[in-house]
Amino acid sequence: MARELWQFCLKSFRGDKMVKIEDVKKLREKTGSGMVECKEALEEAAGNIDKAIEILRKKGMAKAAKKSTRTASQGIVDSYIHMGNRIGVLLEVNCETDFVARNDDFKALVKDIAMQIAACNPKYVSREEVPQDVLNKEKEICASQIQGKPANVVDKIVVGKIEKYYAEVCLLEQPFIKDPNVSIKSLVTQLIAKIGENILVRRFVRYELGEEE
């Protein structure tokens, strides 16, 4: 089947001056997308690989959004112990099938997220988990730090500070420690787009030596 697809794609490149098969191979290696999808993205991007990556990413995000409501009842529970045995993490990440749960990309994602938790100490998985009373208190603190400005300006500043607060305490909102330009939520979404299954970060526990409960 793979050979037939390759032959089909190879035929489609003959006479096509805009897209080079070498570029399709390169794009496929970078994104993990199918050859036909890579060819179409390169055509749309006039042969520019960086633009083609962005096109594939947007399409992948759209596909991932459609999968986000699907039930994810399989997955793995993984652990991570930080160097020196001072910090430990238990993490559950769900997917739709046990086949994906055994996938190396899925396992690597889980390990990266566990390391993120150990390094950045989030308090919640998502912003939806932040209790309303905690959020209200944070807004009060933000507002008290702003003096002598119109109410509408204060509101905008508070919104910005709350967004920053989410990025500090919510795992999915945090910048990925290996690539600060990507959030953990985007990291998960990218793999959803790649493997075609919903992935859900369910829950985690972080332990630190000497930490008071």
Side-chain angles (χ1 to χ4, degrees):
M1 179 67 182
R3 185 176 180 181
E4 292 175 357
L5 178 59
W6 175 263
Q7 290 175 340
F8 168 78
C9 292
L10 187 59
K11 289 179 181 178
S12 70
F13 285 107
R14 291 171 181 165
D16 190 338
K17 297 180 180 179
M18 182 184 295
V19 178
K20 297 178 181 178
I21 193 168
E22 293 80 7
D23 289 342
V24 174
K25 289 180 181 178
K26 188 182 297 183
L27 183 59
R28 192 178 186 211
E29 289 172 359
K30 286 178 174 289
T31 64
S33 300
M35 288 191 65
V36 174
E37 289 177 318
C38 289
K39 176 180 179 293
E40 291 175 349
L42 280 166
E43 288 176 340
E44 187 176 339
N48 186 300
I49 291 181
D50 290 335
K51 289 183 179 179
I53 290 173
E54 186 63 27
I55 289 168
L56 286 172
R57 184 174 297 165
K58 289 179 179 178
K59 290 181 178 179
M61 297 298 182
K63 290 179 181 178
K66 293 179 180 179
K67 295 178 175 68
S68 64
T69 58
R70 291 176 7 188
T71 302
S73 58
Q74 300 297 316
I76 58 176
V77 174
D78 200 5
S79 63
Y80 173 76
I81 307 298
H82 194 60
M83 288 185 297
N85 296 331
R86 298 187 63 84
I87 297 175
V89 172
L90 280 175
L91 168 68
E92 179 183 348
V93 180
N94 298 144
C95 55
E96 295 180 43
T97 64
D98 59 354
F99 175 78
V100 167
R102 298 192 299 270
N103 179 277
D104 288 341
D105 287 340
F106 180 78
K107 290 179 179 179
L109 173 71
V110 175
K111 186 62 69 177
D112 279 342
I113 293 176
M115 291 174 61
Q116 176 83 21
I117 295 167
C120 298
N121 192 19
K123 303 301 181 185
Y124 313 96
V125 172
S126 66
R127 62 173 63 196
E128 288 77 19
E129 290 187 2
V130 181
Q132 190 60 48
D133 60 332
V134 172
L135 197 57
N136 290 340
K137 185 65 176 178
E138 192 65 25
K139 289 179 179 179
E140 288 178 13
I141 293 172
C142 292
S144 67
Q145 295 171 342
I146 307 166
Q147 302 292 332
K149 294 183 181 295
N152 63 324
V153 175
V154 172
D155 289 342
K156 289 181 180 179
I157 294 175
V158 169
V159 168
K161 286 180 174 291
I162 291 300
E163 287 298 318
K164 185 178 180 181
Y165 174 75
Y166 283 139
E168 291 174 354
V169 303
C170 300
L171 173 63
L172 294 180
E173 305 287 337
Q174 289 183 339
F176 182 31
I177 54 174
K178 292 184 178 180
D179 183 0
N181 294 317
V182 178
S183 68
I184 296 299
K185 184 176 182 179
S186 294
L187 196 69
V188 172
T189 302
Q190 287 171 16
L191 188 57
I192 292 173
K194 181 177 180 180
I195 66 176
E197 280 196 15
N198 190 24
I199 297 172
L200 176 66
V201 180
R202 178 73 185 280
R203 54 189 170 178
F204 66 86
V205 179
R206 182 184 184 275
Y207 300 96
E208 185 167 352
L209 187 66
E211 184 179 49
E212 294 184 4
E213 295 184 4

mmCIF file of all heavy atoms in Angstrom, residues 155-187:
data_model
loop_
_atom_site.group_PDB
_atom_site.id
_atom_site.type_symbol
_atom_site.label_atom_id
_atom_site.label_comp_id
_atom_site.label_asym_id
_atom_site.label_seq_id
_atom_site.Cartn_x
_atom_site.Cartn_y
_atom_site.Cartn_z
ATOM 1 N N ASP A 155 -9.383 47.618 33.865
ATOM 2 C CA ASP A 155 -9.952 46.331 33.454
ATOM 3 C C ASP A 155 -9.050 45.619 32.447
ATOM 4 O O ASP A 155 -8.821 44.408 32.543
ATOM 5 C CB ASP A 155 -11.344 46.537 32.838
ATOM 6 C CG ASP A 155 -12.384 46.920 33.883
ATOM 7 O OD1 ASP A 155 -12.114 46.695 35.077
ATOM 8 O OD2 ASP A 155 -13.452 47.432 33.497
ATOM 9 N N LYS A 156 -8.539 46.383 31.480
ATOM 10 C CA LYS A 156 -7.668 45.791 30.470
ATOM 11 C C LYS A 156 -6.372 45.280 31.085
ATOM 12 O O LYS A 156 -5.874 44.208 30.729
ATOM 13 C CB LYS A 156 -7.361 46.816 29.373
ATOM 14 C CG LYS A 156 -8.548 47.137 28.477
ATOM 15 C CD LYS A 156 -8.168 48.145 27.407
ATOM 16 C CE LYS A 156 -9.352 48.460 26.515
ATOM 17 N NZ LYS A 156 -9.019 49.475 25.468
ATOM 18 N N ILE A 157 -5.821 46.041 32.012
ATOM 19 C CA ILE A 157 -4.576 45.629 32.667
ATOM 20 C C ILE A 157 -4.804 44.375 33.501
ATOM 21 O O ILE A 157 -3.979 43.450 33.500
ATOM 22 C CB ILE A 157 -4.023 46.772 33.545
ATOM 23 C CG1 ILE A 157 -3.606 47.960 32.661
ATOM 24 C CG2 ILE A 157 -2.833 46.289 34.367
ATOM 25 C CD1 ILE A 157 -3.164 49.181 33.429
ATOM 26 N N VAL A 158 -5.932 44.339 34.199
ATOM 27 C CA VAL A 158 -6.251 43.164 35.024
ATOM 28 C C VAL A 158 -6.402 41.927 34.141
ATOM 29 O O VAL A 158 -5.898 40.847 34.485
ATOM 30 C CB VAL A 158 -7.545 43.403 35.839
ATOM 31 C CG1 VAL A 158 -8.014 42.094 36.480
ATOM 32 C CG2 VAL A 158 -7.305 44.450 36.919
ATOM 33 N N VAL A 159 -7.079 42.067 33.000
ATOM 34 C CA VAL A 159 -7.234 40.940 32.074
ATOM 35 C C VAL A 159 -5.872 40.421 31.642
ATOM 36 O O VAL A 159 -5.632 39.213 31.600
ATOM 37 C CB VAL A 159 -8.070 41.359 30.836
ATOM 38 C CG1 VAL A 159 -7.978 40.286 29.747
ATOM 39 C CG2 VAL A 159 -9.521 41.580 31.223
ATOM 40 N N GLY A 160 -4.964 41.341 31.315
ATOM 41 C CA GLY A 160 -3.615 40.946 30.909
ATOM 42 C C GLY A 160 -2.869 40.233 32.009
ATOM 43 O O GLY A 160 -2.170 39.239 31.760
ATOM 44 N N LYS A 161 -3.016 40.723 33.236
ATOM 45 C CA LYS A 161 -2.340 40.090 34.370
ATOM 46 C C LYS A 161 -2.922 38.708 34.676
ATOM 47 O O LYS A 161 -2.191 37.789 35.059
ATOM 48 C CB LYS A 161 -2.440 40.993 35.618
ATOM 49 C CG LYS A 161 -1.542 42.218 35.565
ATOM 50 C CD LYS A 161 -1.677 43.057 36.821
ATOM 51 C CE LYS A 161 -0.684 44.212 36.844
ATOM 52 N NZ LYS A 161 0.710 43.761 37.005
ATOM 53 N N ILE A 162 -4.220 38.568 34.482
ATOM 54 C CA ILE A 162 -4.847 37.261 34.715
ATOM 55 C C ILE A 162 -4.372 36.243 33.673
ATOM 56 O O ILE A 162 -4.139 35.069 33.980
ATOM 57 C CB ILE A 162 -6.390 37.380 34.699
ATOM 58 C CG1 ILE A 162 -6.871 38.159 35.915
ATOM 59 C CG2 ILE A 162 -7.034 36.001 34.674
ATOM 60 C CD1 ILE A 162 -6.504 37.545 37.253
ATOM 61 N N GLU A 163 -4.208 36.707 32.440
ATOM 62 C CA GLU A 163 -3.671 35.823 31.404
ATOM 63 C C GLU A 163 -2.269 35.365 31.772
ATOM 64 O O GLU A 163 -1.907 34.194 31.578
ATOM 65 C CB GLU A 163 -3.653 36.547 30.050
ATOM 66 C CG GLU A 163 -5.019 36.717 29.417
ATOM 67 C CD GLU A 163 -5.695 35.388 29.100
ATOM 68 O OE1 GLU A 163 -5.015 34.475 28.607
ATOM 69 O OE2 GLU A 163 -6.908 35.264 29.367
ATOM 70 N N LYS A 164 -1.480 36.267 32.308
ATOM 71 C CA LYS A 164 -0.129 35.918 32.756
ATOM 72 C C LYS A 164 -0.192 34.937 33.916
ATOM 73 O O LYS A 164 0.618 34.002 34.008
ATOM 74 C CB LYS A 164 0.620 37.188 33.163
ATOM 75 C CG LYS A 164 2.073 36.935 33.531
ATOM 76 C CD LYS A 164 2.782 38.236 33.869
ATOM 77 C CE LYS A 164 4.240 37.969 34.245
ATOM 78 N NZ LYS A 164 4.957 39.232 34.599
ATOM 79 N N TYR A 165 -1.174 35.139 34.807
ATOM 80 C CA TYR A 165 -1.362 34.226 35.942
ATOM 81 C C TYR A 165 -1.694 32.819 35.456
ATOM 82 O O TYR A 165 -1.139 31.832 35.947
ATOM 83 C CB TYR A 165 -2.489 34.766 36.827
ATOM 84 C CG TYR A 165 -2.884 33.850 37.952
ATOM 85 C CD1 TYR A 165 -2.080 33.708 39.080
ATOM 86 C CD2 TYR A 165 -4.081 33.127 37.894
ATOM 87 C CE1 TYR A 165 -2.448 32.859 40.118
ATOM 88 C CE2 TYR A 165 -4.458 32.284 38.922
ATOM 89 C CZ TYR A 165 -3.633 32.148 40.036
ATOM 90 O OH TYR A 165 -4.013 31.306 41.049
ATOM 91 N N TYR A 166 -2.593 32.723 34.462
ATOM 92 C CA TYR A 166 -2.925 31.418 33.887
ATOM 93 C C TYR A 166 -1.669 30.727 33.343
ATOM 94 O O TYR A 166 -1.481 29.521 33.511
ATOM 95 C CB TYR A 166 -3.934 31.574 32.745
ATOM 96 C CG TYR A 166 -5.362 31.818 33.177
ATOM 97 C CD1 TYR A 166 -6.161 32.751 32.503
ATOM 98 C CD2 TYR A 166 -5.928 31.107 34.231
ATOM 99 C CE1 TYR A 166 -7.478 32.969 32.878
ATOM 100 C CE2 TYR A 166 -7.250 31.336 34.607
ATOM 101 C CZ TYR A 166 -8.015 32.264 33.930
ATOM 102 O OH TYR A 166 -9.327 32.480 34.306
ATOM 103 N N ALA A 167 -0.821 31.502 32.672
ATOM 104 C CA ALA A 167 0.386 30.943 32.067
ATOM 105 C C ALA A 167 1.377 30.455 33.120
ATOM 106 O O ALA A 167 2.243 29.633 32.828
ATOM 107 C CB ALA A 167 1.056 31.978 31.163
ATOM 108 N N GLU A 168 1.225 30.950 34.335
ATOM 109 C CA GLU A 168 2.118 30.530 35.417
ATOM 110 C C GLU A 168 1.598 29.300 36.153
ATOM 111 O O GLU A 168 2.377 28.403 36.502
ATOM 112 C CB GLU A 168 2.300 31.683 36.412
ATOM 113 C CG GLU A 168 3.083 32.854 35.853
ATOM 114 C CD GLU A 168 3.110 34.036 36.805
ATOM 115 O OE1 GLU A 168 2.417 33.980 37.848
ATOM 116 O OE2 GLU A 168 3.820 35.014 36.512
ATOM 117 N N VAL A 169 0.279 29.230 36.375
ATOM 118 C CA VAL A 169 -0.245 28.188 37.255
ATOM 119 C C VAL A 169 -0.984 27.062 36.540
ATOM 120 O O VAL A 169 -1.252 26.022 37.141
ATOM 121 C CB VAL A 169 -1.172 28.791 38.336
ATOM 122 C CG1 VAL A 169 -0.451 29.854 39.151
ATOM 123 C CG2 VAL A 169 -2.445 29.353 37.719
ATOM 124 N N CYS A 170 -1.318 27.238 35.260
ATOM 125 C CA CYS A 170 -2.066 26.223 34.515
ATOM 126 C C CYS A 170 -1.139 25.500 33.541
ATOM 127 O O CYS A 170 -0.533 26.124 32.670
ATOM 128 C CB CYS A 170 -3.232 26.854 33.742
ATOM 129 S SG CYS A 170 -4.427 27.694 34.799
ATOM 130 N N LEU A 171 -1.039 24.198 33.692
ATOM 131 C CA LEU A 171 -0.119 23.397 32.890
ATOM 132 C C LEU A 171 -0.270 23.636 31.397
ATOM 133 O O LEU A 171 0.712 23.873 30.684
ATOM 134 C CB LEU A 171 -0.333 21.912 33.208
ATOM 135 C CG LEU A 171 0.419 20.901 32.347
ATOM 136 C CD1 LEU A 171 1.925 21.060 32.516
ATOM 137 C CD2 LEU A 171 -0.012 19.476 32.693
ATOM 138 N N LEU A 172 -1.507 23.578 30.887
ATOM 139 C CA LEU A 172 -1.723 23.694 29.447
ATOM 140 C C LEU A 172 -1.379 25.078 28.909
ATOM 141 O O LEU A 172 -1.106 25.230 27.711
ATOM 142 C CB LEU A 172 -3.179 23.356 29.099
ATOM 143 C CG LEU A 172 -3.604 21.910 29.352
ATOM 144 C CD1 LEU A 172 -5.065 21.716 28.973
ATOM 145 C CD2 LEU A 172 -2.735 20.928 28.567
ATOM 146 N N GLU A 173 -1.376 26.087 29.781
ATOM 147 C CA GLU A 173 -1.087 27.453 29.351
ATOM 148 C C GLU A 173 0.401 27.779 29.420
ATOM 149 O O GLU A 173 0.854 28.770 28.848
ATOM 150 C CB GLU A 173 -1.845 28.455 30.233
ATOM 151 C CG GLU A 173 -3.343 28.241 30.308
ATOM 152 C CD GLU A 173 -4.058 28.640 29.030
ATOM 153 O OE1 GLU A 173 -3.502 29.465 28.279
ATOM 154 O OE2 GLU A 173 -5.164 28.127 28.782
ATOM 155 N N GLN A 174 1.173 26.948 30.102
ATOM 156 C CA GLN A 174 2.586 27.249 30.301
ATOM 157 C C GLN A 174 3.399 27.109 29.015
ATOM 158 O O GLN A 174 3.132 26.217 28.206
ATOM 159 C CB GLN A 174 3.175 26.316 31.369
ATOM 160 C CG GLN A 174 2.702 26.589 32.772
ATOM 161 C CD GLN A 174 3.371 25.678 33.789
ATOM 162 O OE1 GLN A 174 3.878 24.612 33.466
ATOM 163 N NE2 GLN A 174 3.373 26.099 35.043
ATOM 164 N N PRO A 175 4.422 27.946 28.829
ATOM 165 C CA PRO A 175 5.355 27.757 27.708
ATOM 166 C C PRO A 175 6.136 26.460 27.927
ATOM 167 O O PRO A 175 6.555 26.166 29.050
ATOM 168 C CB PRO A 175 6.272 28.977 27.787
ATOM 169 C CG PRO A 175 5.549 29.964 28.649
ATOM 170 C CD PRO A 175 4.729 29.155 29.603
ATOM 171 N N PHE A 176 6.315 25.689 26.881
ATOM 172 C CA PHE A 176 7.032 24.424 26.950
ATOM 173 C C PHE A 176 8.502 24.690 27.289
ATOM 174 O O PHE A 176 9.144 25.522 26.654
ATOM 175 C CB PHE A 176 6.908 23.709 25.607
ATOM 176 C CG PHE A 176 7.548 22.360 25.536
ATOM 177 C CD1 PHE A 176 7.627 21.540 26.655
ATOM 178 C CD2 PHE A 176 8.084 21.902 24.338
ATOM 179 C CE1 PHE A 176 8.210 20.286 26.585
ATOM 180 C CE2 PHE A 176 8.664 20.652 24.249
ATOM 181 C CZ PHE A 176 8.740 19.843 25.382
ATOM 182 N N ILE A 177 9.046 23.996 28.274
ATOM 183 C CA ILE A 177 10.418 24.266 28.724
ATOM 184 C C ILE A 177 11.458 24.022 27.624
ATOM 185 O O ILE A 177 12.509 24.646 27.626
ATOM 186 C CB ILE A 177 10.775 23.428 29.970
ATOM 187 C CG1 ILE A 177 10.525 21.941 29.727
ATOM 188 C CG2 ILE A 177 10.027 23.920 31.188
ATOM 189 C CD1 ILE A 177 10.994 21.055 30.880
ATOM 190 N N LYS A 178 11.149 23.137 26.682
ATOM 191 C CA LYS A 178 12.101 22.855 25.601
ATOM 192 C C LYS A 178 11.951 23.811 24.428
ATOM 193 O O LYS A 178 12.840 23.915 23.587
ATOM 194 C CB LYS A 178 11.926 21.410 25.104
ATOM 195 C CG LYS A 178 12.342 20.355 26.115
ATOM 196 C CD LYS A 178 12.223 18.965 25.497
ATOM 197 C CE LYS A 178 12.680 17.887 26.460
ATOM 198 N NZ LYS A 178 12.564 16.528 25.845
ATOM 199 N N ASP A 179 10.820 24.509 24.361
ATOM 200 C CA ASP A 179 10.558 25.481 23.292
ATOM 201 C C ASP A 179 9.536 26.490 23.804
ATOM 202 O O ASP A 179 8.328 26.296 23.654
ATOM 203 C CB ASP A 179 10.042 24.784 22.033
ATOM 204 C CG ASP A 179 9.819 25.750 20.874
ATOM 205 O OD1 ASP A 179 10.061 26.964 21.058
ATOM 206 O OD2 ASP A 179 9.406 25.305 19.787
ATOM 207 N N PRO A 180 9.982 27.587 24.415
ATOM 208 C CA PRO A 180 9.081 28.581 25.024
ATOM 209 C C PRO A 180 8.107 29.227 24.044
ATOM 210 O O PRO A 180 7.157 29.884 24.474
ATOM 211 C CB PRO A 180 10.053 29.626 25.593
ATOM 212 C CG PRO A 180 11.338 28.885 25.788
ATOM 213 C CD PRO A 180 11.406 27.906 24.659
ATOM 214 N N ASN A 181 8.342 29.066 22.745
ATOM 215 C CA ASN A 181 7.418 29.624 21.763
ATOM 216 C C ASN A 181 6.159 28.778 21.600
ATOM 217 O O ASN A 181 5.216 29.183 20.913
ATOM 218 C CB ASN A 181 8.108 29.754 20.399
ATOM 219 C CG ASN A 181 9.226 30.779 20.419
ATOM 220 O OD1 ASN A 181 9.071 31.855 20.983
ATOM 221 N ND2 ASN A 181 10.351 30.438 19.823
ATOM 222 N N VAL A 182 6.151 27.608 22.218
ATOM 223 C CA VAL A 182 5.026 26.674 22.115
ATOM 224 C C VAL A 182 4.455 26.413 23.500
ATOM 225 O O VAL A 182 5.201 26.149 24.441
ATOM 226 C CB VAL A 182 5.481 25.333 21.489
ATOM 227 C CG1 VAL A 182 4.326 24.343 21.429
ATOM 228 C CG2 VAL A 182 6.063 25.555 20.104
ATOM 229 N N SER A 183 3.143 26.502 23.648
ATOM 230 C CA SER A 183 2.511 26.174 24.926
ATOM 231 C C SER A 183 2.303 24.664 25.018
ATOM 232 O O SER A 183 2.343 23.955 24.004
ATOM 233 C CB SER A 183 1.167 26.886 25.058
ATOM 234 O OG SER A 183 0.237 26.354 24.120
ATOM 235 N N ILE A 184 2.078 24.168 26.222
ATOM 236 C CA ILE A 184 1.806 22.742 26.396
ATOM 237 C C ILE A 184 0.523 22.360 25.658
ATOM 238 O O ILE A 184 0.435 21.286 25.057
ATOM 239 C CB ILE A 184 1.695 22.385 27.889
ATOM 240 C CG1 ILE A 184 3.036 22.624 28.599
ATOM 241 C CG2 ILE A 184 1.268 20.936 28.073
ATOM 242 C CD1 ILE A 184 4.177 21.785 28.068
ATOM 243 N N LYS A 185 -0.452 23.244 25.667
ATOM 244 C CA LYS A 185 -1.700 22.984 24.943
ATOM 245 C C LYS A 185 -1.424 22.814 23.448
ATOM 246 O O LYS A 185 -1.967 21.898 22.804
ATOM 247 C CB LYS A 185 -2.691 24.127 25.159
ATOM 248 C CG LYS A 185 -4.042 23.900 24.516
ATOM 249 C CD LYS A 185 -5.003 25.037 24.849
ATOM 250 C CE LYS A 185 -6.373 24.793 24.244
ATOM 251 N NZ LYS A 185 -7.311 25.890 24.589
ATOM 252 N N SER A 186 -0.576 23.668 22.876
ATOM 253 C CA SER A 186 -0.233 23.558 21.459
ATOM 254 C C SER A 186 0.535 22.273 21.186
ATOM 255 O O SER A 186 0.349 21.636 20.150
ATOM 256 C CB SER A 186 0.596 24.768 21.024
ATOM 257 O OG SER A 186 -0.164 25.947 21.081
ATOM 258 N N LEU A 187 1.393 21.904 22.127
ATOM 259 C CA LEU A 187 2.166 20.669 21.986
ATOM 260 C C LEU A 187 1.233 19.464 21.890
ATOM 261 O O LEU A 187 1.409 18.583 21.042
ATOM 262 C CB LEU A 187 3.104 20.521 23.196
ATOM 263 C CG LEU A 187 4.252 19.516 23.074
ATOM 264 C CD1 LEU A 187 5.279 20.006 22.064
ATOM 265 C CD2 LEU A 187 4.904 19.328 24.433
#
